[in-house]
Amino acid sequence: MDNVMEGVDTAVNVQYVVTLDKQSLGSFSTCEGLGCEVVMETREEGGNNDFVWQLPSRLKYPNITLTRPLGPDTAKIASWFAALASGYDRYTGLIEARNGKGTKIASWQLQGVVPVRWKGPSFNPDQPKVLLETLEIAHHGFVAVPTGHN
């Protein structure tokens, strides 16, 4: 049987490298919530009982949750949250999925990124495990990449 996927770089053992306005937050082992939803509104037309109109109204973007083992890059997130005491700015964000060799597989550029939540590790001496941190961010959508670019 021929390998149909020959030459395709698959996303196995992926790290997600996150950058905000060219400032690196480091790499994360999981990334959840990348997506987009078209919010539909329904309208019923008087005298037409065959169907209900489904009209697209706006785009909705879920928050993105990134997780990684605790490490030196934790300080970057702590600084970002500490700066929120004097007000917040929206950033342009970049998430790059990279394989085990560090080669970029895919990337997503986000506009209007703000931090929502940081959760540190749970310390439980009865259950030794890798200490994880979680970062949740909100955004206002994806930046359109010109045709022919990665």
Side-chain angles (χ1 to χ4, degrees), residues 1-6:
M1 182 173 189
D2 289 335
N3 185 354
V4 178
M5 299 297 287
E6 189 174 321

Side-chain angles (χ1 to χ4, degrees), residues 27-60:
S27 63
F28 293 81
S29 52
T30 66
C31 177
E32 297 178 26
L34 274 171
C36 180
E37 176 184 350
V38 176
V39 177
M40 303 298 287
E41 292 184 10
T42 58
R43 296 286 186 257
E44 297 179 17
E45 184 177 354
N48 185 351
N49 297 325
D50 293 340
F51 66 92
V52 175
W53 289 100
Q54 301 250 2
L55 306 171
S57 63
R58 65 186 175 281
L59 296 176
K60 183 174 158 183

Side-chain angles (χ1 to χ4, degrees), residues 28-150:
F28 293 81
S29 52
T30 66
C31 177
E32 297 178 26
L34 274 171
C36 180
E37 176 184 350
V38 176
V39 177
M40 303 298 287
E41 292 184 10
T42 58
R43 296 286 186 257
E44 297 179 17
E45 184 177 354
N48 185 351
N49 297 325
D50 293 340
F51 66 92
V52 175
W53 289 100
Q54 301 250 2
L55 306 171
S57 63
R58 65 186 175 281
L59 296 176
K60 183 174 158 183
Y61 303 96
N63 289 351
I64 297 171
T65 304
L66 301 147
T67 305
R68 68 178 170 200
L70 198 63
D73 286 332
T74 297
K76 295 175 182 177
I77 295 174
S79 295
W80 189 22
F81 273 88
L84 292 174
S86 60
Y88 70 91
D89 293 319
R90 293 189 178 274
Y91 296 90
T92 299
L94 177 65
I95 298 175
E96 289 185 342
R98 295 184 183 176
N99 66 15
K101 297 176 185 175
T103 304
K104 181 175 79 170
I105 298 169
S107 64
W108 301 268
Q109 193 167 0
L110 310 169
Q111 59 185 342
V113 175
V114 293
V116 173
R117 180 178 298 116
W118 174 79
K119 183 179 178 198
S122 297
F123 300 104
N124 186 344
D126 295 335
Q127 298 176 350
K129 58 183 178 179
V130 175
L131 300 177
L132 299 176
E133 68 175 333
T134 303
L135 172 65
E136 183 178 344
I137 59 174
H139 63 99
H140 281 168
F142 299 98
V143 175
V145 177
T147 306
H149 292 84
N150 237 353

